[in-house]
Amino acid sequence: MKNLYIDFDGVILDTITPVYNLAKKLNLDVKKQSKEIGLLYSKIDWESLIEESEELSNSINSIKDLKASGKFNISILTHINSLKEAKAKIEFINSLFDDLTIIPVPKSCSKTMMTQTKDAILVDDFGGNLREWEASGGIGVKFTKEPEKCEFKNVTSLEDLLELF
Ligand SMILES: [Mg+2]
C-alpha cells in the first residue's frame, strides 16, 4: 500500500471561492497574503464556510473508491489558520468517513514536517507544497479543475489516482 496524503482546500472542497468573495467584500487583496488576510482566515466561521463550499470533482466518493481499492493508506493533510478551522474540518471528515486520518498543519509549517514523505504521494492544488514534498523525497500530484501541463503529475479527479499508481 502506498501512503497517500490528500489536501483539503482546493482538492476536496472549494473553500477558496467563498473566502475570496468575503475578502472582496471587505476590500482585501487576497494575492498579497497580507496580515489582514491572515486575520480574516483566523476569524472565518469555518462551519458555515464548509457548508457553503462546493465539493470538487466528486472528491468524497472518489476517496471512498480509493479506500476500497486497497491500494492506498489515505490521510488528509491540510493547512489550518486556527484551531476552529481544524475542528470544523475534522468534524466534516468524520461525518463522512469511518476511519480516515486527518493531519492539521499549522499554516507556518511545511506539510513535509508533519509526516514521513519518502515515496509517499501528496495530492495538492498548490505547487509550492508539491515542490517541498518532492524535495523531501515524496511524489507530488497537482490537482486542478482543468488538465494542466506542469512539472508534476496532474489529475482533475482523485479517481485518476487509481490509474496513475
Ligand atoms: Mg489546497
Side-chain angles (χ1 to χ4, degrees):
M1 276 218 265
K2 270 200 168 292
N3 285 332
L4 168 63
Y5 296 91
I6 301 175
D7 178 27
F8 187 95
D9 306 287
V11 174
I12 297 176
L13 293 188
D14 182 12
T15 50
I16 296 147
T17 305
V19 173
Y20 278 26
N21 289 341
L22 188 61
K24 232 191 242 167
K25 264 191 218 158
L26 298 169
N27 260 327
L28 299 173
D29 185 355
V30 279
K31 302 266 151 59
K32 280 193 182 152
Q33 283 284 342
S34 61
K35 252 191 194 164
E36 285 88 355
I37 293 292
L39 206 61
L40 172 68
Y41 264 105
S42 68
K43 287 196 167 155
I44 281 169
D45 174 359
W46 275 89
E47 267 133 55
S48 342
L49 183 79
I50 283 174
E51 263 172 46
E52 284 165 32
S53 300
E54 305 256 352
E55 182 188 351
L56 288 159
S57 191
N58 202 22
S59 285
I60 290 155
N61 272 320
S62 299
I63 293 173
K64 290 182 179 165
D65 290 345
L66 292 173
K67 274 193 87 180
S69 77
K71 284 174 136 180
F72 305 101
N73 179 26
I74 306 173
S75 308
I76 307 301
L77 189 60
T78 178
H79 271 129
I80 53 142
N81 295 274
S82 68
L83 290 176
K84 276 187 192 162
E85 178 181 346
K87 184 166 175 272
K89 287 176 170 174
I90 291 164
E91 284 174 351
F92 176 77
I93 294 294
N94 272 280
S95 71
L96 297 168
F97 301 96
D98 285 340
D99 191 20
L100 199 57
T101 303
I102 309 160
I103 308 169
V105 184
K107 187 70 188 170
S108 54
C109 293
S110 168
K111 291 190 175 185
T112 60
M113 294 164 79
M114 304 303 288
T115 183
Q116 290 175 314
T117 49
K118 181 98 182 66
D119 298 327
I121 305 161
L122 172 67
V123 183
D124 206 293
D125 62 320
F126 179 54
N129 289 338
L130 296 170
R131 231 159 274 133
E132 290 174 356
W133 193 260
E134 294 209 327
S136 75
I139 303 160
V141 177
K142 190 163 188 202
F143 184 96
T144 52
K145 286 184 181 172
E146 304 294 331
E148 191 179 295
K149 273 225 157 77
C150 61
E151 60 193 284
F152 309 104
K153 292 179 197 297
N154 175 231
V155 296
T156 54
S157 157
L158 292 174
E159 210 80 38
D160 300 344
L161 295 167
L162 287 169
E163 279 150 47
L164 266 182
F165 297 99

